[in-house]
Amino acid sequence: MTYVKPTQVVENMVQTGAAKASLSIWQMLLRGFIAGAILAYATTLAFTATSQTGLGIVGAIIFPVGFVMIILLGFELVTGSFALIPLAVLEKKATVVQMISNFFWVIVGHVLGCLFYAVLYYATTTNMGHVDDSVLATMIAGIAESKTLSYSALGASGLLLVFIKAILCNWMVTLGAVLPMTTQSTLGKIVAMWLPIMAFFAQGFEHAVVNMFVIPAGMMFGADVTVGDWWLWNQIPVLLGNLVGGFTMTGLFLYLAHLKKGSTLPVTSNEKTAMAAVNAK
Amino acid sequence: MTYVKPTQVVENMVQTGAAKASLSIWQMLLRGFIAGAILAYATTLAFTATSQTGLGIVGAIIFPVGFVMIILLGFELVTGSFALIPLAVLEKKATVVQMISNFFWVIVGHVLGCLFYAVLYYATTTNMGHVDDSVLATMIAGIAESKTLSYSALGASGLLLVFIKAILCNWMVTLGAVLPMTTQSTLGKIVAMWLPIMAFFAQGFEHAVVNMFVIPAGMMFGADVTVGDWWLWNQIPVLLGNLVGGFTMTGLFLYLAHLKKGSTLPVTSNEKTAMAAVNAK
Amino acid sequence: MTYVKPTQVVENMVQTGAAKASLSIWQMLLRGFIAGAILAYATTLAFTATSQTGLGIVGAIIFPVGFVMIILLGFELVTGSFALIPLAVLEKKATVVQMISNFFWVIVGHVLGCLFYAVLYYATTTNMGHVDDSVLATMIAGIAESKTLSYSALGASGLLLVFIKAILCNWMVTLGAVLPMTTQSTLGKIVAMWLPIMAFFAQGFEHAVVNMFVIPAGMMFGADVTVGDWWLWNQIPVLLGNLVGGFTMTGLFLYLAHLKKGSTLPVTSNEKTAMAAVNAK
Amino acid sequence: MTYVKPTQVVENMVQTGAAKASLSIWQMLLRGFIAGAILAYATTLAFTATSQTGLGIVGAIIFPVGFVMIILLGFELVTGSFALIPLAVLEKKATVVQMISNFFWVIVGHVLGCLFYAVLYYATTTNMGHVDDSVLATMIAGIAESKTLSYSALGASGLLLVFIKAILCNWMVTLGAVLPMTTQSTLGKIVAMWLPIMAFFAQGFEHAVVNMFVIPAGMMFGADVTVGDWWLWNQIPVLLGNLVGGFTMTGLFLYLAHLKKGSTLPVTSNEKTAMAAVNAK
Amino acid sequence: MTYVKPTQVVENMVQTGAAKASLSIWQMLLRGFIAGAILAYATTLAFTATSQTGLGIVGAIIFPVGFVMIILLGFELVTGSFALIPLAVLEKKATVVQMISNFFWVIVGHVLGCLFYAVLYYATTTNMGHVDDSVLATMIAGIAESKTLSYSALGASGLLLVFIKAILCNWMVTLGAVLPMTTQSTLGKIVAMWLPIMAFFAQGFEHAVVNMFVIPAGMMFGADVTVGDWWLWNQIPVLLGNLVGGFTMTGLFLYLAHLKKGSTLPVTSNEKTAMAAVNAK
């Protein structure tokens, strides 16, 4: 019997959030760095698949490869944590300061990891700078412009638009962090998390960590985007939208739908502890 | 040994139906809202896949993503319950009033969740109202017209037609709710429920909750459909057809085919209780 | 350890055959009806997939969906039983009369279930009779003619041809009924039974229950086929070929290859009993 | 924990080889006959898939269906045994005479089973001899010529070529017989054996049992090949190459890489016995 | 519960590295030889798939077949060991000399195994030297030139480029060696290791063992590449890049992210020992 019931899933979410909140800065940086780099790797894999087939859906089907590796190996993904640590705070198992600290240091790790991969990928795609019109370079530069300039062209409503797309994205990303908790089987986890990740990527919604790679990489490949454009028209509103979407649509809905109101979570079974401990040292 | 025998499946169906009948209004609304929104999300994912490949079967293969998430996370889907709660009523484990209350409040949740997603999806697809001829907008508007006007053009026989399509749809949807009960493995549940959901979607039958998204979304995208058309020519007959199809073809047939006549279900094994409790708090 | 050894599989075949032989007429009719209808549903799903892609192999890959649902939910499929009940008779665990009774009543159920789906499918495909040249209608009518008239054109050798195709079909269908017995995992069962069902469908061999839907449905869609053509040139020789193929190629070969000669099967393990009981009440 | 370690796999290989060596002639003939016929069935399935898609890789992906059924149901495949029985002889658990007897009788069974299927397949593909230019008939005839005449055209180096292709083939086929021993799960076995079988088929290497069907079937379909061509330029060198490839590349390499030198295998765990007994009565 | 936690995975990595470091030369040569040959086999399989479909992503999806066989059967792959044995050295469970010895002898085995397959593959692809313009021969020759001459054309920066591509490759290959440790299920292992292997191959990064086959094979097929080009512009920098990428990005990151600093690994559970022993005799 590998199936785990929803009420227990919610308890595991709180435990996992608490464990994440208690990581050291060093761990958050390291795990955030490698997670960012792996997600960037999977992004270029997806772009390769889309570019070869001309079908975005093929890229989306292959993209979760990176997410799966991050979750199975216990690295930190801030977008996933957006649904978990706030619940731990709600249940008094973590403090707001711990939560913000986790978000901050993991994001720093993500940015560094994404830039690290972007530099290496730039080198390989351009043959050390000698070729600048490869299909993928052009594709990534175009996406970077689309993910910033198309919003700034709309002004304030562009900010709202990117915010909405970030909500729709991270609702699914956080389900991708929660669904593997419905099973104790590794293969079951892989398949369960695959589904929502594919769902958001296929529809082109906005994921903060993917963008930490795509936009600066696009800038290297010649996109007409400034660092200000990147953060103002994309990175900041996307992080906020990811937080709102992940916390409300996944964290809060599951919490309210499956837990007794007003009660502090009982921590009883070994299983829960084991699951929660996965991402803690 | 993850396989669960049919007789036990039928008992689990009754237990699950009883558990659903005893949910609070708050739970029914919440779980119905998020289930509706997730199903709507999966619908636009399927449309994306179909639109890119030109193959409806590809959209159908990917569509069950949403159903899987709803079932694994214990949300409420009224179309699935159509096969379960009536059995609990038959077995005197729930009252007719409880059943109708569940159907009503979950449907309210579905409508709200679908409208919620429709508004956000409209915003992203039209770039906050600036673009109104995207491929998907046109596709959804066309489907909305097809799902209403093509029936009203046939008059009374159109009502019968949509009713039949709703029976054929929900026969499979309810099998999608029952087949995961044949296994205790989460991955087994995912695969088992995938099959019938793919089967109905590929053939274009009528699913009430999908339509709660597709038709109003189509109206936003410019379909020439009124709220009256939506409910008269589609939503009401589809809900009735879904109820008839789900209850008779799945609920009643399994009940009659595998259970002793006249007996009240014995509730003995822990396993049954555990399975039944999945969707209850 | 989910793997079940061949010798035990053969014992399970005998037990399952015996259990099937002892069903009530009511159960055989009900389970046969719903199985026929589900198989017909899967057939139109496969035709949809083939029609959209122009590839018969795609339809074949998706067709087993129906077979899986029938087996997991313990419904009756006479073509599968052709390999099981005769073994129970051989082992004196069922009588010839019981066997013939099972075949007869389940076939009656299949015919009724297939006709039931054919009528509903006709209604939806023709928009209640208003459209008669849809792609699928034309396809099904053509298949119905091919499955009858092309044999009658050959005379006696046509009867032999359809008989051979029925043998080749049901050899695999019965392996589809036996292979899930090699595992105790539901997912394992799904995959194991998928393989032979796909194998026969892809090669266009003749399956009695599929034909109980395809031919009358084709007649509704305008195929130039009489009820006499249907039964004389297809249904009767196909049932006989299915029986011969299923009993000899699967039932008898497995029995002779893996069991001690002359011995009555010992019934010892709980597991066997559990497996055998799956299809019994 | 379904994973089985390599050292234990090697021990299982020896046990299984010993069990195969002790089968009765009747069992070897029966199990060889049905295995040959199933492999032939899977071959025409693969040709169907390749013919429809124009892609050999699609046929290769679907071809292992037959191998899986043979292994799960404990039938005899001489090409698989080439890696197993010689190890049992090495370990003094079987005699050379037993080994040769197994090879001989199973091959006789294969030839009969393949011819049986070839005759039935010829009947269905040619509509009882009335059609002789179907796509598949032409394809199979062409393959039969290619698998004989293209080698004879090269003379002695053609014999070496077909011998090398047979080595490359059966290295993978025997891995297909060994890899399912790395797991106790039936689904795991299915997937594990799928991989090497697909790998050899996709690259067109020479498999003795497949050829026992393809070449005589091609002759029926009009290939300009004699029985002498079949055996001299293909069947005999392929059997020898399969034996050399299977025994050395899989049997001997695994034996030398994972077992203590000079030691007779200890037989201790129940598990090993159970696994080894799978193919024995 | 098949899932294994990251901290335990890291401990298994160290144990496995230690076990690999203590193999005999004979075992390292044998296991390296067969692993090299299997990887070469999978490479030509992937090229076949890519050649037929015109899509590199299809080749990448099928390529992991070889890696899976190597890992499940406990053969030695030096690129995988690059992340494991250095950790064992760090933890004082192996010496630097043992590590270098393992790398050396396994590489010798790889080169011999790859050349062995290259010769046989050359024979079959050219019909014993009679055909030298087959699609695959031309493709492989072109790749061999691209993997050497395109770097030498860039001079020193070409060396840096191939070094970077080797880092990006082996980061994933080593994740392919580590991810199967996250589960005790064989099927789970297969799927988990599939993902990163597919990810690197699809993007054309540089894998030392693949190149030990592709470049000499390409030379046989007429590539204008010398042995000096092969080793100077590819093999040596790729081995170094693979070592750096595998050790730092996978070995060190996992070690630092999940283990207590300064502590020697405790060896407690039987499970760990069992897992670590997989690759040892």
Side-chain angles (χ1 to χ4, degrees):
Chain A
M1 172 138 153
T2 66
Y3 183 62
V4 178
K5 293 184 293 178
T7 47
Q8 197 160 9
V9 167
V10 174
E11 294 181 24
N12 289 342
M13 290 169 71
V14 173
Q15 304 291 329
T16 305
K20 285 179 179 297
S22 68
L23 292 171
S24 73
I25 290 179
W26 173 244
Q27 287 174 317
M28 293 187 286
L29 271 173
L30 264 180
R31 297 185 188 181
F33 179 93
I34 199 74
I38 288 175
L39 212 64
Y41 202 115
T43 302
T44 61
L45 170 66
F47 289 169
T48 301
T50 292
S51 158
Q52 288 180 9
T53 60
L55 294 169
I57 193 72
V58 175
I61 288 170
I62 214 166
F63 172 72
V65 160
F67 188 84
V68 166
M69 294 192 279
I70 291 166
I71 296 289
L72 289 186
L73 293 172
F75 296 132
E76 286 292 304
L77 197 65
V78 76
T79 42
S81 298
F82 283 163
L84 306 176
I85 307 184
L87 289 193
V89 173
L90 268 183
E91 285 281 329
K92 316 267 189 237
K93 306 228 181 275
T95 67
V96 170
V97 169
Q98 282 180 309
M99 178 178 76
I100 291 173
S101 169
N102 176 284
F103 292 169
F104 177 79
W105 290 109
V106 173
I107 286 173
V108 170
H110 287 341
V111 171
L112 294 175
C114 285
L115 289 177
F116 170 78
Y117 184 74
V119 169
L120 296 188
Y121 189 74
Y122 173 82
T124 68
T125 305
T126 62
N127 265 13
M128 303 304 287
H130 291 88
V131 182
D132 58 359
D133 61 349
S134 81
V135 173
L136 280 160
T138 307
M139 182 178 173
I140 293 174
I143 293 172
E145 292 184 354
S146 164
K147 277 176 174 292
T148 49
L149 306 187
S150 75
Y151 299 126
S152 74
L154 296 174
S157 78
L159 281 182
L160 184 56
L161 175 59
V162 72
F163 181 75
I164 291 173
K165 285 191 180 178
I167 288 175
L168 291 176
C169 164
N170 214 41
W171 172 16
M172 287 297 131
V173 172
T174 46
L175 287 179
V178 169
L179 278 162
M181 296 181 187
T182 63
T183 176
Q184 295 175 321
S185 146
T186 302
L187 182 54
K189 287 175 187 289
I190 292 174
V191 174
M193 69 181 106
W194 206 281
L195 308 183
I197 303 303
M198 173 181 68
F200 96 80
F201 198 85
Q203 303 195 63
F205 297 137
E206 297 284 347
H207 187 274
V209 188
V210 168
N211 293 353
M212 285 169 194
F213 163 73
V214 173
I215 299 177
M219 290 161 66
M220 295 178 194
F221 288 128
D224 189 20
V225 173
T226 66
V227 171
D229 292 331
W230 168 20
W231 284 86
L232 178 60
W233 294 104
N234 186 293
Q235 209 61 61
I236 291 171
V238 168
L239 277 165
L240 293 175
N242 283 176
L243 174 58
V244 169
F247 173 55
T248 58
M249 299 301 291
T250 295
L252 215 51
F253 262 98
L254 275 163
Y255 184 77
L256 296 175
H258 287 297
L259 277 191
K260 292 187 188 65
K261 268 157 281 179
S263 76
T264 299
L265 283 169
V267 183
T268 52
S269 83
N270 291 332
E271 181 190 327
K272 286 172 229 165
T273 318
M275 297 297 295
V278 163
N279 290 297
K281 193 169 70 177
Chain B
M1 171 137 154
T2 66
Y3 183 63
V4 178
K5 294 184 292 177
T7 46
Q8 197 159 11
V9 166
V10 175
E11 293 182 25
N12 289 342
M13 289 170 71
V14 173
Q15 304 292 328
T16 305
K20 285 178 178 299
S22 68
L23 292 171
S24 71
I25 291 178
W26 173 244
Q27 288 174 317
M28 293 188 286
L29 271 173
L30 264 180
R31 296 185 188 181
F33 179 94
I34 198 74
I38 288 176
L39 212 66
Y41 203 115
T43 302
T44 61
L45 170 67
F47 288 169
T48 301
T50 292
S51 157
Q52 288 180 11
T53 60
L55 294 169
I57 193 71
V58 175
I61 289 170
I62 213 166
F63 172 73
V65 161
F67 188 84
V68 165
M69 293 192 279
I70 290 167
I71 297 289
L72 289 186
L73 293 173
F75 296 132
E76 287 293 304
L77 197 64
V78 76
T79 42
S81 298
F82 282 164
L84 306 176
I85 307 184
L87 290 193
V89 172
L90 269 183
E91 285 282 327
K92 317 269 191 235
K93 306 230 182 274
T95 67
V96 172
V97 170
Q98 281 180 310
M99 178 179 75
I100 291 174
S101 170
N102 177 285
F103 292 169
F104 177 78
W105 290 110
V106 172
I107 287 174
V108 170
H110 288 341
V111 172
L112 294 176
C114 285
L115 289 177
F116 170 78
Y117 183 73
V119 168
L120 296 189
Y121 189 74
Y122 173 82
T124 69
T125 305
T126 62
N127 265 13
M128 305 303 287
H130 292 88
V131 181
D132 59 359
D133 62 348
S134 82
V135 173
L136 280 160
T138 307
M139 183 177 173
I140 292 174
I143 293 172
E145 292 184 354
S146 163
K147 276 175 176 293
T148 49
L149 306 187
S150 75
Y151 298 127
S152 74
L154 296 174
S157 78
L159 281 182
L160 183 57
L161 175 58
V162 71
F163 180 75
I164 292 174
K165 284 191 180 179
I167 288 175
L168 292 176
C169 164
N170 215 40
W171 172 15
M172 287 298 130
V173 172
T174 45
L175 287 179
V178 169
L179 278 161
M181 295 181 187
T182 64
T183 175
Q184 295 175 322
S185 145
T186 302
L187 182 53
K189 288 175 187 289
I190 292 173
V191 174
M193 68 180 107
W194 206 281
L195 309 182
I197 303 303
M198 173 181 67
F200 96 79
F201 198 86
Q203 303 195 63
F205 297 137
E206 297 283 348
H207 186 274
V209 188
V210 168
N211 293 352
M212 285 170 194
F213 163 73
V214 173
I215 299 177
M219 290 159 68
M220 294 179 195
F221 287 129
D224 189 19
V225 173
T226 66
V227 171
D229 292 332
W230 168 20
W231 285 86
L232 177 60
W233 293 105
N234 186 291
Q235 208 61 63
I236 291 170
V238 168
L239 277 165
L240 293 174
N242 283 177
L243 174 58
V244 169
F247 173 54
T248 59
M249 299 301 292
T250 295
L252 214 51
F253 262 97
L254 275 163
Y255 184 77
L256 296 175
H258 288 298
L259 276 191
K260 291 186 190 65
K261 269 157 281 178
S263 77
T264 300
L265 283 170
V267 183
T268 52
S269 83
N270 291 331
E271 182 189 329
K272 286 172 229 164
T273 317
M275 296 297 296
V278 163
N279 289 298
K281 193 169 71 177
Chain C
M1 171 137 152
T2 66
Y3 183 62
V4 178
K5 294 185 293 178
T7 46
Q8 196 159 11
V9 167
V10 175
E11 293 181 25
N12 290 341
M13 290 169 70
V14 174
Q15 304 292 328
T16 305
K20 285 179 179 299
S22 67
L23 291 172
S24 71
I25 291 179
W26 173 244
Q27 287 174 318
M28 293 187 286
L29 271 174
L30 264 181
R31 296 185 189 181
F33 179 94
I34 198 74
I38 288 176
L39 211 65
Y41 202 116
T43 302
T44 61
L45 171 66
F47 288 170
T48 301
T50 293
S51 158
Q52 288 180 10
T53 59
L55 294 169
I57 192 71
V58 176
I61 289 170
I62 213 166
F63 172 72
V65 160
F67 189 84
V68 166
M69 294 192 279
I70 291 166
I71 297 289
L72 289 186
L73 293 173
F75 296 131
E76 286 293 304
L77 198 64
V78 76
T79 43
S81 298
F82 283 163
L84 306 177
I85 307 184
L87 290 193
V89 172
L90 269 183
E91 285 281 329
K92 317 270 190 231
K93 307 231 181 272
T95 67
V96 171
V97 170
Q98 282 181 310
M99 179 178 75
I100 291 173
S101 169
N102 176 284
F103 292 169
F104 177 78
W105 290 110
V106 172
I107 286 174
V108 171
H110 287 342
V111 172
L112 294 176
C114 285
L115 289 177
F116 170 77
Y117 184 73
V119 169
L120 297 188
Y121 190 73
Y122 173 82
T124 67
T125 305
T126 62
N127 265 13
M128 305 304 287
H130 291 88
V131 181
D132 58 359
D133 61 347
S134 81
V135 174
L136 280 160
T138 307
M139 182 177 172
I140 292 175
I143 293 172
E145 292 184 354
S146 164
K147 276 176 175 293
T148 49
L149 306 187
S150 75
Y151 298 127
S152 74
L154 295 175
S157 78
L159 281 182
L160 183 57
L161 174 58
V162 71
F163 181 74
I164 292 174
K165 285 192 181 179
I167 288 175
L168 291 176
C169 164
N170 214 41
W171 172 16
M172 286 298 131
V173 172
T174 46
L175 286 179
V178 168
L179 278 161
M181 296 181 186
T182 64
T183 176
Q184 296 175 321
S185 145
T186 302
L187 182 53
K189 287 175 187 289
I190 292 173
V191 174
M193 68 180 106
W194 206 282
L195 309 182
I197 302 303
M198 173 180 70
F200 96 79
F201 199 85
Q203 303 195 63
F205 297 137
E206 297 284 347
H207 187 274
V209 188
V210 168
N211 293 353
M212 285 169 194
F213 163 73
V214 173
I215 299 177
M219 289 160 68
M220 294 178 197
F221 287 128
D224 190 19
V225 174
T226 66
V227 171
D229 292 332
W230 168 21
W231 283 85
L232 177 61
W233 294 105
N234 187 291
Q235 208 61 62
I236 291 170
V238 168
L239 277 165
L240 292 175
N242 283 177
L243 175 58
V244 169
F247 173 55
T248 59
M249 299 301 291
T250 295
L252 215 51
F253 262 97
L254 275 162
Y255 184 77
L256 297 175
H258 287 298
L259 276 191
K260 291 186 190 65
K261 268 157 282 180
S263 77
T264 300
L265 282 171
V267 183
T268 51
S269 82
N270 290 331
E271 182 188 327
K272 286 172 227 163
T273 317
M275 297 296 295
V278 163
N279 290 297
K281 194 170 70 177
Chain D
M1 172 138 151
T2 66
Y3 183 63
V4 178
K5 293 185 293 178
T7 46
Q8 197 159 11
V9 167
V10 175
E11 293 181 26
N12 290 342
M13 290 169 70
V14 173
Q15 305 292 329
T16 304
K20 286 179 178 298
S22 67
L23 291 172
S24 71
I25 290 179
W26 173 244
Q27 287 174 317
M28 292 187 287
L29 271 173
L30 264 180
R31 296 184 188 182
F33 180 93
I34 198 74
I38 288 175
L39 212 65
Y41 202 115
T43 301
T44 61
L45 171 67
F47 288 170
T48 301
T50 292
S51 158
Q52 288 179 11
T53 59
L55 294 170
I57 192 73
V58 175
I61 288 170
I62 213 167
F63 172 72
V65 160
F67 189 84
V68 166
M69 294 192 279
I70 291 166
I71 297 289
L72 289 186
L73 294 172
F75 296 132
E76 287 292 304
L77 198 64
V78 76
T79 42
S81 298
F82 283 164
L84 305 177
I85 306 184
L87 289 194
V89 172
L90 268 183
E91 284 282 328
K92 317 271 190 231
K93 307 231 181 271
T95 67
V96 171
V97 170
Q98 282 180 309
M99 179 179 76
I100 291 173
S101 169
N102 176 285
F103 292 169
F104 178 78
W105 290 110
V106 173
I107 287 174
V108 170
H110 287 340
V111 172
L112 295 176
C114 285
L115 289 177
F116 170 77
Y117 184 74
V119 169
L120 296 189
Y121 189 73
Y122 173 81
T124 67
T125 305
T126 61
N127 265 13
M128 304 304 287
H130 291 86
V131 182
D132 58 0
D133 61 347
S134 82
V135 174
L136 280 160
T138 307
M139 182 177 172
I140 292 174
I143 293 172
E145 292 184 355
S146 164
K147 276 175 175 295
T148 50
L149 307 187
S150 75
Y151 298 127
S152 74
L154 296 174
S157 79
L159 281 181
L160 183 56
L161 174 58
V162 71
F163 181 74
I164 291 174
K165 285 192 180 179
I167 288 175
L168 291 177
C169 164
N170 214 41
W171 172 16
M172 286 298 131
V173 172
T174 46
L175 286 180
V178 168
L179 278 162
M181 296 181 187
T182 64
T183 176
Q184 296 174 321
S185 146
T186 302
L187 182 53
K189 287 175 187 289
I190 292 173
V191 175
M193 68 181 105
W194 206 282
L195 309 182
I197 303 303
M198 173 181 68
F200 97 79
F201 199 86
Q203 304 195 62
F205 296 137
E206 297 284 348
H207 187 274
V209 188
V210 168
N211 293 352
M212 285 169 194
F213 163 72
V214 173
I215 299 177
M219 289 160 68
M220 295 179 196
F221 288 128
D224 189 20
V225 173
T226 66
V227 171
D229 291 331
W230 169 20
W231 284 86
L232 177 61
W233 293 104
N234 186 292
Q235 209 61 63
I236 292 170
V238 168
L239 277 165
L240 292 175
N242 283 176
L243 174 58
V244 169
F247 173 54
T248 59
M249 299 301 292
T250 295
L252 215 51
F253 261 97
L254 274 163
Y255 184 77
L256 296 175
H258 288 297
L259 276 191
K260 290 187 191 64
K261 267 156 284 181
S263 76
T264 299
L265 282 170
V267 183
T268 53
S269 82
N270 291 332
E271 182 189 329
K272 286 172 228 165
T273 317
M275 298 295 297
V278 163
N279 290 298
K281 194 170 71 178
Chain E
M1 172 137 152
T2 66
Y3 182 62
V4 178
K5 294 185 293 178
T7 47
Q8 197 160 9
V9 166
V10 175
E11 293 181 26
N12 289 342
M13 290 169 72
V14 173
Q15 304 292 328
T16 305
K20 285 178 179 298
S22 67
L23 292 171
S24 72
I25 291 178
W26 172 243
Q27 288 174 316
M28 292 188 286
L29 271 173
L30 264 181
R31 296 184 189 182
F33 180 93
I34 199 73
I38 288 175
L39 211 65
Y41 202 116
T43 302
T44 60
L45 170 66
F47 288 169
T48 301
T50 292
S51 158
Q52 288 180 10
T53 60
L55 294 170
I57 192 72
V58 175
I61 288 170
I62 213 166
F63 172 71
V65 161
F67 188 85
V68 166
M69 294 191 280
I70 291 166
I71 297 288
L72 289 186
L73 293 172
F75 296 132
E76 286 293 303
L77 197 64
V78 76
T79 42
S81 298
F82 283 163
L84 306 176
I85 307 183
L87 289 194
V89 172
L90 268 184
E91 284 282 328
K92 316 269 190 235
K93 307 231 181 271
T95 68
V96 171
V97 169
Q98 282 180 309
M99 178 179 75
I100 291 173
S101 169
N102 175 285
F103 292 168
F104 177 79
W105 290 109
V106 173
I107 286 173
V108 170
H110 288 340
V111 171
L112 295 175
C114 286
L115 289 176
F116 170 78
Y117 184 74
V119 169
L120 296 188
Y121 189 74
Y122 172 83
T124 68
T125 305
T126 62
N127 265 13
M128 304 304 286
H130 292 88
V131 182
D132 59 359
D133 61 348
S134 81
V135 174
L136 280 160
T138 307
M139 183 177 173
I140 292 175
I143 293 172
E145 292 184 354
S146 164
K147 276 176 175 293
T148 50
L149 307 186
S150 76
Y151 298 127
S152 74
L154 295 175
S157 78
L159 281 181
L160 183 56
L161 175 58
V162 72
F163 181 75
I164 291 173
K165 285 191 181 180
I167 288 175
L168 291 177
C169 164
N170 215 41
W171 172 16
M172 287 298 131
V173 172
T174 46
L175 287 179
V178 169
L179 278 162
M181 296 181 187
T182 63
T183 176
Q184 296 175 321
S185 146
T186 302
L187 182 54
K189 287 175 187 290
I190 292 173
V191 174
M193 69 181 106
W194 206 281
L195 309 182
I197 303 303
M198 172 181 68
F200 96 80
F201 199 86
Q203 303 195 64
F205 297 136
E206 297 283 348
H207 187 273
V209 188
V210 168
N211 293 352
M212 285 169 194
F213 162 73
V214 173
I215 299 177
M219 290 161 67
M220 294 178 196
F221 287 128
D224 189 19
V225 173
T226 66
V227 171
D229 292 332
W230 167 20
W231 284 85
L232 178 60
W233 293 105
N234 186 291
Q235 209 61 62
I236 291 170
V238 168
L239 277 166
L240 292 175
N242 284 177
L243 174 58
V244 170
F247 173 55
T248 59
M249 299 300 291
T250 295
L252 215 50
F253 262 97
L254 275 163
Y255 184 77
L256 296 175
H258 288 297
L259 277 191
K260 291 188 190 63
K261 267 156 282 180
S263 77
T264 299
L265 282 170
V267 183
T268 52
S269 83
N270 291 332
E271 181 189 329
K272 287 172 228 166
T273 317
M275 297 296 297
V278 163
N279 290 298
K281 193 170 71 178

